[in-house]
Amino acid sequence: GEAYLLSLALRHPTVEAAVEALLEEDLARHPAARELFGGGLEDLLEDPLLQEIWRQFTTLPLEWRASTPEALRDWAESLDEPLREEALRLIEGPAHGPEDFRYRQEAEHCARNLRVDQARRMQRRLLMRLADEAEGDHAETLARVNTLTEFIAAITTPRRSSTFPDLRDVLGRE
């Protein structure tokens, strides 16, 4: 979840931009969801400890950000406890190997799953609020539930492939 995504973002400099591009693309296609969710990696982090580690990392100027495993470890060791322990755990993830080209896809997949989980939790909270409130105008809450339902459906629908024929085309559905 969140820790894995942060681990990838800390160890691979291009992950942040890839995740933000993915989130912004989803929000651009669903402008009503923009008022509910942000488009940055930090908007996916709900654990305060992970939020603070990411904040500490991103407040560094780009040229000072650690780019090698050794420099990243030095940076993590410079943090105060309990950030130090958690940051060291995050950066000591699986060793870099020949499959490193997959990290960006893994980060995008993880980010999308975190966003879907956030949207579903928000949707459940709104539905519980509707169930608890017998009186009053529920138009705004219902509109948000509808926005979330459409957003969740859109970001969980598999993308069309240019390589393989799409069954939706064969069946004549969108």
Side-chain angles (χ1 to χ4, degrees):
E2 290 180 50
Y4 182 62
L5 179 61
L6 183 55
S7 173
L8 289 172
L10 291 171
R11 293 183 296 138
H12 302 284
T14 61
V15 163
E16 179 183 10
V19 167
E20 288 182 359
L22 176 82
L23 296 175
E24 283 297 328
E25 178 185 322
D26 289 340
L27 292 173
R29 287 184 287 152
H30 299 90
R34 185 172 293 285
E35 70 182 54
L36 303 174
F37 302 106
L41 189 140
E42 65 278 358
D43 298 306
L44 296 173
L45 303 175
E46 295 180 354
D47 181 324
L49 191 61
L50 299 179
Q51 289 173 345
E52 184 57 23
I53 290 169
W54 185 244
R55 191 190 69 70
Q56 294 270 339
F57 187 76
T58 58
T59 56
L60 292 172
L62 288 176
E63 63 273 8
W64 291 1
R65 289 189 191 177
S67 58
T68 65
E70 298 79 23
L72 193 55
R73 183 168 186 60
D74 291 343
W75 168 79
E77 288 177 352
S78 73
L79 299 172
D80 295 330
E81 286 298 334
L83 297 178
R84 178 184 310 128
E85 183 180 337
E86 184 65 17
L88 287 169
R89 188 183 69 73
L90 290 171
I91 62 172
E92 309 247 337
H96 301 293
E99 292 84 32
D100 275 353
F101 67 91
R102 293 186 179 165
Y103 68 86
R104 181 176 166 172
Q105 288 177 319
E106 287 182 38
E108 289 173 342
H109 179 73
C110 188
R112 179 155 281 138
N113 288 340
L114 287 170
R115 178 52 48 96
V116 169
D117 290 345
Q118 282 180 331
R120 287 182 176 148
R121 279 195 309 276
M122 184 179 290
Q123 187 180 42
R124 278 193 298 275
R125 283 193 304 269
L126 290 172
L127 290 171
M128 288 183 0
R129 184 185 314 160
L130 282 172
D132 291 344
E133 296 174 3
E135 300 290 321
D137 183 20
H138 301 297
E140 184 178 329
T141 304
L142 287 171
R144 283 189 174 195
V145 168
N146 186 47
T147 296
L148 287 167
T149 301
E150 291 173 1
F151 183 66
I152 292 166
I155 64 176
T156 57
T157 300
R159 296 186 184 268
R160 292 179 181 262
S161 169
S162 59
T163 308
F164 302 104
D166 194 308
L167 188 57
R168 291 173 285 200
D169 293 335
V170 173
L171 297 174
R173 297 183 189 158
E174 285 283 326

